[in-house]
Amino acid sequence: MSSLATLAYAGRAWPFEQARALIARLVKSRVQDQADQKQALSLIEAGKTDEALKAFEGLDRPVIFETGYGPSGLPHIGTFGEVARTTMVRQAFEAMTGSAWQTRLICFSDDMDGLRKVPEGIPNSEILREDLYKPLTVVRDPFGEYPSFGAHNNARLKKFLDSFGFTYEFLSSTECYKSGVFDQTLLTALDRFDKIQGVMLPTLGPDRRATYSPFLPVSPKSGHVLQVPTLERNVAQGTIVFEEDGERFEVPVTGGHVKMQWKPDWAMRWAALGVDYEMAGKDLIDSVKVSSQVCKILGGVPPEGFNYELFLDEQGQKISKSKGNGLTMEDWLRYGAPESLAYYMFQSPKSAKKLYFDVIPRATDEFFQQLDAFPKQEEAKQIENPVWFVLRGQTALTSPPVTFGLMLNLVSAANASDKETLWGFLRAYIPGATPESEPVLDRLAGYALNYFEDFVKPSKAFRLPDDREKAAFLDLITRFKALPADTRDAEALQNIVFEVGKVHEFEPLRAWFQALYEVLLGQSQGPRFGSFVAIFGLERTIALLEQGVAGELVAA
């Protein structure tokens, strides 16, 4: 058994836990005899997955991972998170099985769904209003770039996933319905209509129950996806009868003439595509249970998966595509490295987390801290490190010599408005460094400039130092002036700052650093001050301290 497979089976990170549960589910669902199940699982656990696949033919077909996405609004980071997290489970699964077991990741877009309301913040919204209730792949694109609103949102999602290097297959609901991929399962659903209703109706209120049908016909007259009762079923012909505006229509359930209600649709997709793993948000726990029951009625096996906590906006509200209150993926990439986004998704998926702009700098620096630790760790620790999942085992990336937080404060103090100004400081601090030799640092410089301009600059609030702080500032100025002008030793500078804080009896000591940041940078937090001085330069720092003491920064 390979070292990696051994370690992966013992791995405690949540993707390994999920992969172990998936393996157990695959063996149980694909191998009928219990003794054979036990033998197959023993082989896989012993690192002999290839032997298990040969010995038990039922096992030897691809393992299907799926993520679902509804393109009724612009893709947000929650959509990316589901793909990223599922990819992490897939990576853990492949590590455990030595990649002997073929896997596929399907990113499914529910783009045949009817547009039920106009999302906020979309230009030319009158176009969407006119096309309400039509399938998303029929609704016109308000941006004027693609054949439909669904196609526009699909393209944005695929572009982002591609830029991050995910390996996936994109499937469109519209194409699957119209091409016949779902036909056989739809006919089974028609045949087992009453059993599906037996699961669905108890979950609905009285009014909804009276008109509910698992089939949503696409009107031949209006083109709308209709929520109307099924009046008649013709199983032999594969058709249903419904009524619209007093007129009766009979349409096939195949060929894209109907779409299923979303919970039966989810179940139908699992059965038709043979989905083995799909995760979902905590708000869908009951929906997963209902869809799993319908999946069994259709002859399928519900997938393995787990329920992650929801992302919240700055006010603690659930982020929503239609409200537009979450970050877009483009937002994050304007202000932070893509690796930091994946790192944020890896962290504590079962804990609710706020997802707004202020989390980006911290996530960026935490990711690079983990990257710094990675090469010093034993292999057993490395595969528990978020970096192993974020970079999918390819850890050639190196951390920048300057933190993102420090870069933000450098931009602030220097009033930098372009990369070249920043690089003037960076070259002095890191001799020989160039954007070409330090590409990650160059990326951080761009992110810092964007973040500062959009978020830090508008919220800056400088203040005057009180008497004790002013005395400490003057003491620090005196000590800095006693140093050689070219001093760049960040640790030595930090020690001097610490000593001044102690001499002037700041308690707790962090109050001293908070005073420095509030007076000099107009904010209450910052990176190590010694590192800031080293990169900003001793002469400039002394001048900044003098401006702070004189109140010139407040006046500015």
Side-chain angles (χ1 to χ4, degrees):
M1 189 174 188
S2 73
S3 171
L4 177 58
T6 303
L7 295 172
Y9 251 103
R12 292 176 295 174
W14 68 265
F16 293 125
E17 294 176 354
Q18 289 295 296
R20 282 191 291 270
L22 173 57
I23 289 172
R25 180 254 188 212
L26 291 168
V27 170
K28 185 176 180 180
S29 63
R30 296 187 181 187
V31 179
Q32 301 304 311
D33 183 78
Q34 288 189 356
D36 288 346
Q37 290 175 4
K38 187 174 181 180
Q39 184 182 351
L41 196 57
S42 295
L43 285 170
I44 296 169
E45 290 176 348
K48 300 176 181 178
T49 300
D50 53 346
E51 294 184 25
L53 298 180
K54 290 177 183 176
F56 304 100
E57 292 182 4
L59 288 178
D60 194 15
R61 64 176 189 272
V63 179
I64 309 297
F65 295 81
E66 184 185 59
T67 64
Y69 158 65
S72 58
L74 302 180
H76 60 56
I77 288 181
T79 307
F80 165 81
E82 195 165 304
V83 178
R85 287 168 169 170
T86 303
T87 296
M88 291 168 185
V89 177
R90 183 186 187 188
Q91 180 182 339
F93 178 88
E94 291 177 344
M96 288 182 179
T97 59
S99 297
W101 213 332
Q102 185 182 350
T103 64
R104 297 168 57 201
L105 170 57
I106 293 173
C107 293
F108 190 91
S109 172
D110 190 16
D111 56 19
M112 195 171 160
D113 197 18
L115 179 66
R116 295 181 180 85
K117 60 181 178 179
V118 177
E120 296 177 14
I122 300 293
N124 303 313
S125 58
E126 67 279 359
I127 291 176
L128 299 181
R129 199 165 289 108
E130 292 170 3
D131 288 351
L132 278 173
Y133 311 115
K134 292 181 180 179
L136 290 161
T137 43
V138 174
V139 174
R140 289 167 293 169
D141 180 16
F143 297 91
E145 299 172 1
Y146 291 89
S148 69
F149 188 45
H152 179 275
N153 292 333
N154 287 343
R156 286 185 66 165
L157 177 64
K158 287 189 284 186
K159 181 180 179 181
F160 187 82
L161 298 180
D162 291 342
S163 72
F164 203 80
F166 288 117
T167 301
Y168 67 96
E169 303 168 36
F170 187 84
L171 285 186
S172 156
S173 174
T174 301
E175 292 175 7
C176 287
Y177 271 100
K178 290 188 174 183
S179 68
V181 169
F182 292 156
D183 279 1
Q184 189 55 55
T185 313
L186 288 166
L187 291 171
T188 300
L190 181 64
D191 181 56
R192 301 173 187 177
F193 182 96
D194 291 334
K195 291 182 178 180
I196 294 173
Q197 290 288 74
V199 170
M200 295 305 304
L201 294 183
T203 70
L204 307 171
D207 293 342
R208 188 82 179 90
R209 195 181 306 147
T211 61
Y212 182 85
S213 169
F215 294 108
L216 303 174
V218 180
S219 168
K221 186 166 74 171
S222 65
H224 292 173
V225 180
L226 301 174
Q227 301 219 29
V228 293
T230 295
L231 304 178
E232 297 176 21
R233 290 182 293 131
N234 189 329
V235 176
Q237 296 298 319
T239 61
I240 60 170
V241 175
F242 65 95
E243 187 176 284
E244 181 184 16
D245 297 331
E247 186 177 356
R248 291 169 76 93
F249 296 91
E250 183 172 5
V251 296
V253 297
T254 54
H257 295 282
V258 307
K259 183 193 181 298
M260 296 199 80
Q261 294 271 8
W262 84 266
K263 291 175 188 175
D265 181 90
W266 204 7
M268 183 273 297
R269 197 161 75 223
W270 289 343
L273 301 177
V275 175
D276 296 300
Y277 186 91
E278 181 164 4
M279 60 177 65
K282 186 179 179 181
D283 57 334
L284 297 181
I285 288 176
D286 290 339
S287 300
V288 170
K289 291 177 181 176
V290 170
S291 295
S292 294
Q293 290 177 268
V294 176
C295 181
K296 292 175 183 177
I297 290 170
L298 296 174
V301 179
E304 185 65 37
F306 85 119
N307 298 102
Y308 54 83
E309 268 287 1
L310 305 179
F311 290 113
L312 309 174
D313 65 13
E314 193 170 0
Q315 282 71 47
Q317 301 297 311
K318 175 187 171 185
I319 62 173
S320 162
K321 293 190 295 293
S322 60
K323 289 182 182 177
N325 63 332
L327 296 180
T328 67
M329 292 169 284
E330 291 89 347
D331 285 338
W332 190 293
L333 292 189
R334 173 169 167 77
Y335 307 114
E339 297 86 1
S340 66
L341 173 54
Y343 167 80
Y344 191 76
M345 294 301 166
F346 175 86
Q347 296 294 92
S348 306
K350 291 197 173 184
S351 298
K353 293 188 293 185
K354 289 187 177 181
L355 184 58
Y356 58 102
F357 295 102
D358 286 359
V359 307
I360 298 175
R362 180 181 297 178
T364 298
D365 280 339
E366 285 181 0
F367 167 75
F368 285 118
Q369 288 169 9
Q370 295 284 1
L371 184 60
D372 280 338
F374 188 86
K376 305 167 191 151
Q377 295 173 327
E378 297 177 354
E379 191 177 8
K381 292 290 186 183
Q382 285 182 333
I383 66 168
E384 301 286 345
N385 188 319
V387 165
W388 188 81
F389 292 97
V390 169
L391 300 181
R392 298 190 280 286
Q394 305 301 313
T395 53
L397 186 72
T398 56
S399 296
V402 174
T403 68
F404 188 48
L406 180 54
M407 189 83 75
L408 281 173
N409 284 278
L410 180 62
V411 174
S412 177
N415 288 317
S417 58
D418 56 65
K419 277 188 181 182
E420 188 51 44
T421 301
L422 278 183
W423 271 102
F425 294 103
L426 295 171
R427 289 188 188 97
Y429 181 64
I430 315 164
T434 66
E436 292 72 29
S437 66
E438 293 285 352
V440 177
L441 185 60
D442 189 54
R443 278 199 289 150
L444 281 188
Y447 301 142
L449 288 165
N450 291 339
Y451 193 88
F452 173 77
E453 192 65 32
D454 293 351
F455 297 107
V456 179
K457 188 176 179 181
S459 62
K460 275 185 167 297
F462 293 92
R463 68 170 176 83
L464 293 170
D466 61 27
D467 290 342
R468 182 174 61 152
E469 291 166 349
K470 184 179 290 187
F473 275 45
L474 292 171
D475 186 0
L476 186 59
I477 291 169
T478 300
R479 295 183 190 223
F480 277 175
K481 283 184 174 179
L483 298 174
D486 60 351
T487 299
R488 296 279 182 179
D489 187 333
E491 198 60 37
L493 291 165
Q494 182 77 0
N495 289 338
I496 291 172
V497 180
F498 262 115
E499 182 61 28
V500 170
K502 291 176 182 177
V503 167
H504 291 268
E505 299 180 344
F506 282 89
E507 185 60 40
L509 197 56
R510 66 173 175 272
W512 162 231
F513 289 94
Q514 183 174 335
L516 286 168
Y517 292 125
E518 289 176 350
V519 173
L520 303 181
L521 300 175
Q523 58 198 58
S524 59
Q525 297 181 13
R528 285 172 62 85
F529 198 76
S531 299
F532 168 75
V533 177
I535 193 170
F536 191 51
L538 197 57
E539 185 177 341
R540 290 189 185 88
T541 303
I542 291 169
L544 187 65
L545 285 161
E546 290 174 339
Q547 285 180 293
V549 170
E552 295 174 10
L553 297 175
V554 174

PDB file of all heavy atoms in Angstrom, residues 326 435 489 523:
ATOM      1  N   GLY A 326     -24.271  38.691  -1.562  1.00  0.00           N
ATOM      2  CA  GLY A 326     -23.022  37.969  -1.309  1.00  0.00           C
ATOM      3  C   GLY A 326     -21.921  38.489  -2.212  1.00  0.00           C
ATOM      4  O   GLY A 326     -22.135  39.343  -3.067  1.00  0.00           O
ATOM      5  N   PRO A 435       9.162  42.221 -10.053  1.00  0.00           N
ATOM      6  CA  PRO A 435       7.874  41.557 -10.278  1.00  0.00           C
ATOM      7  C   PRO A 435       8.030  40.190 -10.936  1.00  0.00           C
ATOM      8  O   PRO A 435       7.227  39.290 -10.692  1.00  0.00           O
ATOM      9  CB  PRO A 435       7.128  42.537 -11.187  1.00  0.00           C
ATOM     10  CG  PRO A 435       7.710  43.868 -10.858  1.00  0.00           C
ATOM     11  CD  PRO A 435       9.158  43.593 -10.589  1.00  0.00           C
ATOM     12  N   ASP A 489      16.479  45.735   9.870  1.00  0.00           N
ATOM     13  CA  ASP A 489      16.277  44.532  10.689  1.00  0.00           C
ATOM     14  C   ASP A 489      14.906  44.609  11.377  1.00  0.00           C
ATOM     15  O   ASP A 489      14.744  45.304  12.385  1.00  0.00           O
ATOM     16  CB  ASP A 489      17.403  44.424  11.729  1.00  0.00           C
ATOM     17  CG  ASP A 489      17.359  43.111  12.505  1.00  0.00           C
ATOM     18  OD1 ASP A 489      16.256  42.529  12.638  1.00  0.00           O
ATOM     19  OD2 ASP A 489      18.412  42.666  12.992  1.00  0.00           O
ATOM     20  N   GLN A 523      -6.395  53.421  11.436  1.00  0.00           N
ATOM     21  CA  GLN A 523      -7.100  52.153  11.625  1.00  0.00           C
ATOM     22  C   GLN A 523      -6.625  51.519  12.922  1.00  0.00           C
ATOM     23  O   GLN A 523      -5.561  51.877  13.441  1.00  0.00           O
ATOM     24  CB  GLN A 523      -6.853  51.217  10.437  1.00  0.00           C
ATOM     25  CG  GLN A 523      -5.389  50.908  10.200  1.00  0.00           C
ATOM     26  CD  GLN A 523      -5.102  50.363   8.821  1.00  0.00           C
ATOM     27  OE1 GLN A 523      -5.406  51.007   7.811  1.00  0.00           O
ATOM     28  NE2 GLN A 523      -4.524  49.178   8.765  1.00  0.00           N
TER      29      GLN A 523
END
